[in-house]
Amino acid sequence: MAQEAQKEKSMILQKEMIDGLFNDLAQVKETGKKVCYTFIPGNLSELIRTFDMLPVYPEINALQSAMRKKSGGYIKEAEKNAHSEDVCTYVKCDVGMMMKGNIGPTGTKIPEPDILLLSYTGCFTFLKWFETLKREYPNAKVIMVHTPYQENAEITPEMTQYMVKQLKEEVIPQMEEVTGIKFDEEKLKGFLRLSKEAEDWITKIFDSTKHKPSPIDAYFAGVYYIGPINIGFRGTQEAVDYYKELYDEIQERIRLGLGPITPEGEMKEEKYRLVVEGPPNWTSFREFWKIFYDMGAVIVASSYTKVGGVYDLGWRHDAERPIESLAEYCMNCYTNMNIPQRISLLSKCITDYDADGYVTNSIKSCNSFSAGQLAMMRDIEDHLEVPVGFIESDLVDPRYFSYSNIKNRLESYFQMLEQRKSLKETV
Amino acid sequence: MVTPIYTMGVDVGGSYVKAVLMSYDHDSGEHKLLDKQTEKIRKRNPKDVVVETVDAILLRNKLNFDNDIAYLASTGEGEMVEKKTGHFYSMTSHARGGIFFAPEAKTVVDMGALYVRAIKVDPRGKVIDYKMTGQCASGSGQFIENISRYLGLAIEEVGPISLKADNPEVPSGICAVLAETDVINLVSKGLSTPNIVKGINISIAQRVIKLLGSLRTESPIVLVGGMGMNEGMTQAIEELSVEKNKEDNKFISHPDSIYSGAIGAALWGGFRYYKLKEKQAAVVA
């Protein structure tokens, strides 16, 4: 029987926040609150809150379903209804869940959307996803924000202006219309101040991996840490309090010289420090993490923890420029960056956090992540001379997680790391 | 125990258990392969297959395990080998085994049942870098076995038959399922068995060449693992290498290549045996 997973206090706090959100969602009929479905990359949490709406994130529902071993059934349901095997499995899991009654991860029904807010960033599947949802929910209003891709590795004033115009002339008026609430800029500014505060804390938290041993795992535990800012709590005092608490816990671990807490227990010896590119596999999340744990590998930085916003390079929400700031936030998301920008960001992580290696988890059904991954890996291998590893799995489709195949590949990778390390030591 | 010592290596793979008996000479560095045995696992318990194989080698060589064997090293899936002294990771073992066959090799290509792995090595057989084929089974020896079964060939016949091809047709190199369908079509079309088998070898060789390119390997390259014994595969790799203007690449194959993991493990076992001795001596001193 598997050992019961150890939980950090922050994980418990977060569970309470999620449960609270889903309870609120279950009660919209009584409270009359409007519901806004939107995506994590480029989510306009603060704006949604300004109109007292409750957010629903289909990706979060999908990954939660996967962790509860329900995604396989949902995906099959979607495939029975003509969604191809090659379609993003977040989409199929979400669609399948909807077809099976739209029961969310906490066992309560997720209400229908009043708004489908598509502020897509770098993922074209999002467009098709909401097209599908629109067919299922014909009464929902679709609001689409076109986020320009950072093709030339920059956000120009024209790009910001283009987005601000959309936000002011299309998004805000339509939100006013659906909710019957007048836009209150001061209220938005209040949320943005709290967002900045949470972003400062989260940057410090992920920066703690500079310590040796690293007090946290910035991938497997990191996906929990980004939970609050990615599921609609960005801009709330709750999120700020959560991150303060988490930061204090981490400081204590640093003081005691402790490594990360994992579901298998505390990491005793940090043998390898890695940077990981790509989302994790959610269907076998714990087994996946355990492979790294067994090898003494700690993830000191990951790209996936940046999908809901890149704060490493100093960018923050700014209450003094509220709408411009929302526009910049969308354009600054990881999947909206071009490939050289991603390489540069991950290279900085490898250097800053003194990583021994770089591992890519290539996701079978995620184009926005998988495109360019091999080129990125080759580039990083060439210019940093760091050992690179490549594994393949999927987001939430259990059929694409081959435990022995991944373990085999990672074992080979760790053998190389070990021998490279021993060669370095003997030279 | 005086030098040389006897060490054994057991490599438990996807299809076969491979075991070797070696004499390990710490002083001269001249190690010899004394005996070897391969057993197909079929539907048996691999643990029992290992015991049978090791016992058979000991019996043939009139050796007693407890008194005569200094180190039994396992590798591959061999962590379940009950009598093992220590376990070694498969890539490390295959790299060392490759250097045993060809001490001048700079690259070892391990072509096993489940995947192909190109490994850059230093002269001691230590791994500097590596690349593996993707997850798809069309890059694996298991795929060749499936096809040979379909064509009614023994696995040993695949190499020699491939050499007789005059006009091979290459099936899909992307997916094993597609490739099997292709093979069925090729049989229906009346293509000769040598041309089908050579086509299969070429499809896998294409993956090997791609792998070598991405690793930016250096020659000489030694081919090990079960597929290393397939001379048709070696020929296909050599031909493709020339086509890609890499005629300077020198490929080395060996009739005992299937034993590379077991040999490597046995050699690392001998190395570790003496390391432990040195440590114990230092503690006593």
Side-chain angles (χ1 to χ4, degrees):
Chain A
M1 204 172 131
Q3 186 192 341
E4 198 178 326
Q6 279 193 20
K7 285 195 172 158
E8 289 171 81
K9 190 180 169 191
S10 50
M11 285 185 189
I12 295 163
L13 269 179
Q14 188 182 156
K15 188 177 180 307
E16 288 169 3
M17 291 164 84
I18 295 173
D19 287 350
L21 174 63
F22 280 99
N23 281 339
D24 288 346
L25 284 166
Q27 290 167 13
V28 289
K29 273 191 183 156
E30 292 84 54
T31 60
K33 285 203 169 190
K34 300 293 180 191
V35 177
C36 177
Y37 283 25
T38 194
F39 293 112
I40 290 171
N43 71 79
L44 298 168
S45 283
E46 298 82 357
L47 197 60
I48 293 168
R49 283 197 171 269
T50 304
F51 289 97
D52 285 343
M53 287 189 282
L54 291 170
V56 171
Y57 294 92
E59 308 107 300
I60 296 285
N61 294 340
L63 72 88
Q64 294 267 2
S65 297
M67 291 177 102
R68 286 168 171 76
K69 311 284 180 203
K70 289 188 166 178
S71 57
Y74 291 153
I75 289 167
K76 279 184 192 154
E77 188 66 24
E79 287 176 355
K80 265 200 288 187
N81 285 279
H83 288 270
S84 154
E85 268 190 23
D86 293 322
V87 168
C88 164
T89 51
Y90 271 170
V91 178
K92 283 188 291 187
C93 184
D94 182 42
V95 170
M97 188 177 94
M98 220 167 55
M99 288 168 169
K100 292 261 191 185
N102 221 18
I103 305 298
T106 55
T108 54
K109 188 172 165 58
I110 295 175
E112 293 193 4
D114 298 290
I115 288 179
L116 294 166
L117 173 61
L118 179 58
S119 51
Y120 86 92
T121 51
C123 173
F124 286 88
T125 301
F126 284 167
L127 293 167
K128 292 288 162 195
W129 193 340
F130 270 13
E131 260 180 40
T132 305
L133 292 192
K134 174 65 185 168
R135 277 199 295 274
E136 300 297 326
Y137 303 117
N139 297 327
K141 184 174 275 295
V142 177
I143 306 177
M144 186 178 145
V145 189
H146 176 232
T147 305
Y149 187 65
Q150 289 202 50
E151 191 188 349
N152 297 317
E154 59 173 351
I155 297 172
T156 63
E158 292 75 18
M159 285 158 74
T160 306
Q161 218 174 14
Y162 172 66
M163 282 206 73
V164 166
K165 190 172 155 64
Q166 294 179 72
L167 289 167
K168 282 186 175 168
E169 295 178 9
E170 288 174 42
V171 180
I172 291 173
Q174 291 188 80
M175 283 185 168
E176 285 180 326
E177 189 192 321
V178 172
T179 61
I181 295 172
K182 185 136 182 57
F183 174 59
D184 179 350
E185 192 170 279
E186 287 310 309
K187 193 173 171 186
L188 174 64
K189 284 181 176 177
F191 291 138
L192 292 174
R193 280 186 202 101
L194 289 169
S195 290
K196 181 195 174 294
E197 210 177 320
E199 287 156 2
D200 285 342
W201 284 114
I202 206 155
T203 308
K204 282 186 190 172
I205 286 164
F206 281 114
D207 225 26
S208 70
T209 59
K210 278 182 181 157
H211 289 270
K212 288 184 184 176
S214 169
I216 61 165
D217 186 290
Y219 185 52
F220 295 106
V223 297
Y224 286 96
Y225 302 155
I226 55 168
I229 53 162
N230 282 355
I231 56 166
F233 288 93
R234 206 181 56 224
T236 65
Q237 188 60 46
E238 278 169 290
V240 173
D241 293 344
Y242 164 82
Y243 286 116
K244 271 187 191 166
E245 171 65 37
L246 178 59
Y247 181 73
D248 288 345
E249 277 177 16
I250 292 168
Q251 288 308 300
E252 182 61 7
R253 299 191 68 72
I254 293 172
R255 194 182 68 76
L256 297 172
L258 299 174
I261 293 177
T262 82
E264 314 306 319
E266 195 173 287
M267 179 79 92
K268 298 287 179 224
E269 187 196 359
E270 178 185 282
K271 282 177 77 180
Y272 310 109
R273 298 166 64 83
L274 302 176
V275 168
V276 173
E277 148 66 13
N281 166 272
W282 299 106
T283 53
S284 304
F285 186 79
R286 186 166 169 181
E287 293 93 314
F288 191 33
W289 190 348
K290 189 173 181 298
I291 299 174
F292 289 82
Y293 168 82
D294 287 342
M295 299 286 182
V298 176
I299 316 305
V300 290
S302 64
S303 57
Y304 194 63
T305 51
K306 304 175 199 308
V307 283
V310 177
Y311 307 112
D312 313 37
L313 307 175
W315 186 89
R316 297 288 182 272
H317 279 94
D318 181 0
E320 300 314 308
R321 302 165 53 249
I323 308 294
E324 290 80 358
S325 174
L326 291 176
E328 286 169 2
Y329 162 73
C330 290
M331 291 186 282
N332 200 33
C333 280
Y334 180 76
T335 45
N336 202 52
M337 291 177 152
N338 74 9
I339 301 297
Q341 279 177 298
R342 296 184 201 189
I343 292 170
S344 152
L345 181 64
L346 292 166
S347 300
K348 185 175 173 336
C349 289
I350 292 167
T351 311
D352 288 357
Y353 302 120
D354 196 20
D356 301 308
Y358 173 86
V359 171
T360 299
N361 182 30
S362 183
I363 295 294
K364 195 258 174 194
S365 72
C366 182
N367 292 340
S368 66
F369 258 97
S370 301
Q373 272 181 334
L374 282 173
M376 287 163 65
M377 191 171 84
R378 171 55 67 90
D379 193 293
I380 285 170
E381 184 180 25
D382 281 350
H383 79 259
L384 292 180
E385 292 183 351
V386 67
V388 298
F390 189 83
I391 49 174
E392 294 164 90
S393 67
D394 191 53
L395 294 165
V396 295
D397 191 339
R399 295 170 299 185
Y400 290 110
F401 186 85
S402 161
Y403 178 79
S404 40
N405 213 312
I406 290 177
K407 188 166 183 288
N408 215 322
R409 276 154 206 283
L410 283 172
E411 271 184 3
S412 296
Y413 179 65
F414 287 115
Q415 287 165 50
M416 177 178 68
L417 273 185
E418 191 173 303
Q419 299 226 329
R420 283 248 194 129
K421 267 195 157 184
S422 74
L423 285 172
K424 255 188 193 174
E425 281 155 16
T426 51
V427 169
Chain B
M1 198 172 273
V2 287
T3 187
I5 55 169
Y6 290 120
T7 63
M8 292 189 81
V10 178
D11 178 9
V12 182
S15 307
Y16 294 90
V17 167
K18 289 83 71 177
V20 296
L21 172 71
M22 311 268 306
S23 80
Y24 184 91
D25 194 326
H26 182 64
D27 298 333
S28 70
E30 283 178 20
H31 318 302
K32 288 181 190 135
L33 174 63
L34 302 177
D35 201 357
K36 64 205 175 183
Q37 186 163 324
T38 307
E39 278 296 321
K40 191 156 176 60
I41 296 171
R42 287 198 174 89
K43 287 174 185 169
R44 292 180 289 170
N45 183 340
K47 270 188 189 178
D48 298 337
V49 180
V50 168
V51 172
E52 281 171 29
T53 316
V54 169
D55 286 351
I57 291 178
L58 290 171
L59 189 68
R60 270 202 303 274
N61 292 277
K62 298 183 177 62
L63 293 174
N64 176 284
F65 183 81
D66 294 326
N67 298 335
D68 301 320
I69 304 300
Y71 203 104
L72 187 150
S74 64
T75 190
E77 299 300 317
E79 278 190 84
M80 46 61 170
V81 175
E82 281 165 355
K83 281 186 172 175
K84 69 176 183 293
T85 323
H87 181 79
F88 294 86
Y89 285 127
S90 69
M91 184 162 69
T92 323
S93 301
H94 281 284
R96 184 67 188 87
I99 290 297
F100 175 77
F101 292 136
E104 72 280 24
K106 291 184 175 164
T107 305
V108 176
V109 180
D110 167 23
M111 303 190 291
L114 303 178
Y115 46 77
V116 177
R117 186 164 47 190
I119 313 161
K120 255 189 200 175
V121 290
D122 77 356
R124 293 168 295 176
K126 287 218 167 194
V127 177
I128 298 169
D129 204 352
Y130 82 106
K131 287 275 186 292
M132 282 170 93
T133 45
Q135 281 192 17
C136 178
S138 70
S140 71
Q142 187 63 52
F143 170 60
I144 296 243
E145 271 202 67
N146 293 349
I147 296 290
S148 63
R149 203 178 305 124
Y150 179 74
L151 294 172
L153 297 171
I155 191 72
E156 301 78 24
E157 293 176 284
V158 168
I161 281 191
S162 177
L163 297 179
K164 292 178 186 161
D166 54 6
N167 188 19
E169 194 151 333
V170 184
S172 161
I174 299 299
C175 166
V177 178
L178 289 181
E180 288 196 30
T181 317
D182 279 353
V183 169
I184 292 167
N185 285 333
L186 295 177
V187 172
S188 314
K189 272 167 61 182
L191 205 75
S192 72
T193 305
N195 283 331
I196 295 174
V197 173
K198 177 80 184 272
I200 297 287
N201 279 334
I202 292 172
S203 79
I204 294 181
Q206 283 170 339
R207 286 192 158 211
V208 174
I209 292 292
K210 200 170 144 197
L211 210 58
L212 293 172
S214 69
L215 189 62
R216 283 169 276 195
T217 43
E218 291 172 61
S219 182
I221 299 159
V222 60
L223 306 172
V224 302
M227 280 198 284
M229 297 192 309
N230 171 351
E231 51 272 64
M233 178 69 70
T234 308
Q235 185 198 50
I237 291 172
E238 282 169 343
E239 286 171 0
L240 278 176
S241 190
V242 171
E243 268 179 39
K244 301 272 175 198
N245 299 321
K246 300 273 185 193
E247 50 280 326
D248 294 341
N249 272 347
K250 183 186 166 202
F251 293 93
I252 303 161
S253 58
H254 194 280
D256 288 331
S257 72
I258 195 169
Y259 294 101
S260 57
I263 290 171
L267 293 174
W268 282 125
F271 178 78
R272 193 180 280 174
Y273 172 83
Y274 280 101
K275 276 276 170 202
L276 287 171
K277 284 267 166 206
E278 280 170 24
K279 273 190 184 168
Q280 283 163 359
V283 170
V284 171

